[in-house]
Amino acid sequence: MHLRSRRTLVAALTVVSAGSLAFAAPTTAAPNASTAVSATSATTAKPTIVLVHGAWADASSWNPVISRLQHAGYTVYAPPNPLRGVASDAETIADFVSTIPGPVVLVGHSYGGMVITNAATSLPNVKALVYDDAYIPAQGETVFQINSAQPGSCVSVDPSLFLNLVPYPGAASGDADAYLKTASGPSYKGFGKCFANGVPRAQASLLAAGQRPFAVSAGSEPSGAPAWKTLPSWAVVGTQDNVIPPAEQLVMAKRAGSHIVKVRAGHLSLITHPGTVTNTVIAAARATG
């Protein structure tokens, strides 16, 4: 939230409180045993987990991980990622995270890795990054560049073979919303085998029907200075990923100095192997203490 917006919000709340609501004034008590216990609890509280989805997905893709983290006692948020551009998406997530008190572990899947890499540079409360089958870019790198760095990506062929392009209001000239085609075709495995390999067919069909589009221009927008240079990071690498080649995931993870966890999974390990992803997030959370 920009400073001007914050000032406006504070002013509005002041008017409301003066005109119609009565707020109890804070009281000051002498330190005692109970306040000491509260202070100790505050310093040992678990960090909040913020999960950022990628392209052609939405926050529900995190549901298997969210339920496990909540069962383990963590506060979890999975805000929507606009999928409009690296810088603007990162600003959106940074604004959200800036409202959370206390330490945060920021987690990104796929394109969400681009977003958290850029968002966390302006967030002092982010203590660790977790990448799940994700881009871990260096400054200046783009999604399209990373996809083509190693052979094997099913989304590095001619875009007309795997994307349905749809106009959207306010788009810059040449830009469009990109949806993955459901059916297979020349040099394209289809949604189920490209993006959702390892996911049961019926579930993959639901994911294809409900996918959120990714602005084409976001794929060529260079990443900024990476937060992983100053923050500890973890990387879950799906060894059967057909979107981001596992070899390239390992290159990026090693460059970032990430703790690497390999899992025999496709691009959607957050759905097919949520236990592994959850355990990795918890490991990162515990390391922030």
Side-chain angles (χ1 to χ4, degrees):
M1 184 181 293
H2 297 294
L3 182 58
R4 180 178 297 175
S5 300
R6 288 180 179 142
R7 287 174 174 167
T8 301
L9 179 59
V10 171
L13 290 175
T14 301
V15 171
V16 170
S17 63
S20 59
L21 296 177
F23 292 94
T27 58
T28 302
N32 55 36
S34 62
T35 57
V37 170
S38 298
T40 301
S41 299
T43 59
T44 59
K46 294 178 178 180
T48 299
I49 312 298
V50 177
L51 307 169
V52 181
H53 68 80
W56 307 308
D58 62 22
S60 68
S61 61
W62 284 112
N63 282 353
V65 175
I66 293 172
S67 62
R68 287 166 171 80
L69 287 170
Q70 288 178 336
H71 182 74
Y74 289 91
T75 298
V76 187
Y77 298 105
N81 181 1
L83 306 177
R84 280 289 167 263
V86 176
S88 62
D89 294 341
E91 185 176 3
T92 297
I93 296 301
D95 281 349
F96 180 88
V97 175
S98 69
T99 67
I100 299 173
V104 170
V105 173
L106 197 51
V107 187
H109 171 250
S110 191
Y111 169 75
M114 298 287 292
V115 176
I116 69 171
T117 295
N118 288 269
T121 57
S122 63
L123 296 167
N125 59 331
V126 172
K127 304 303 180 182
L129 303 171
V130 180
Y131 296 91
D132 178 30
D133 301 314
Y135 300 93
I136 313 176
Q139 187 165 3
E141 290 182 339
T142 70
V143 166
F144 294 155
Q145 177 185 353
I146 293 170
N147 286 345
S148 301
Q150 302 275 350
S153 173
C154 60
V155 294
S156 62
V157 296
D158 180 346
S160 66
L161 298 178
F162 70 94
L163 292 176
N164 289 322
L165 300 180
V166 178
Y168 68 87
S173 178
D175 200 13
D177 270 341
Y179 293 83
L180 283 177
K181 291 183 177 181
T182 301
S184 60
S187 303
Y188 175 58
K189 303 172 182 288
F191 185 94
K193 293 184 178 180
C194 170
F195 185 74
N197 59 313
V199 177
R201 182 177 298 180
Q203 187 177 8
S205 295
L206 292 175
L207 294 174
Q211 61 180 292
R212 288 194 56 205
F214 171 71
V216 174
S217 58
S220 58
E221 183 177 342
S223 183
W228 51 254
K229 283 199 169 183
T230 57
L231 291 172
S233 62
W234 281 253
V236 177
V237 176
T239 59
Q240 298 179 321
D241 195 326
N242 289 328
V243 175
I244 309 174
E248 184 58 21
Q249 289 189 49
L250 288 171
V251 167
M252 293 187 290
K254 290 176 181 177
R255 177 179 64 188
S258 303
H259 304 273
I260 297 172
V261 178
K262 295 182 182 179
V263 59
R264 187 174 174 80
H267 191 59
L268 299 180
S269 62
L270 72 175
I271 293 175
T272 62
H273 291 73
T276 299
V277 177
T278 300
N279 289 341
T280 304
V281 173
I282 291 175
R286 288 175 175 170
T288 66

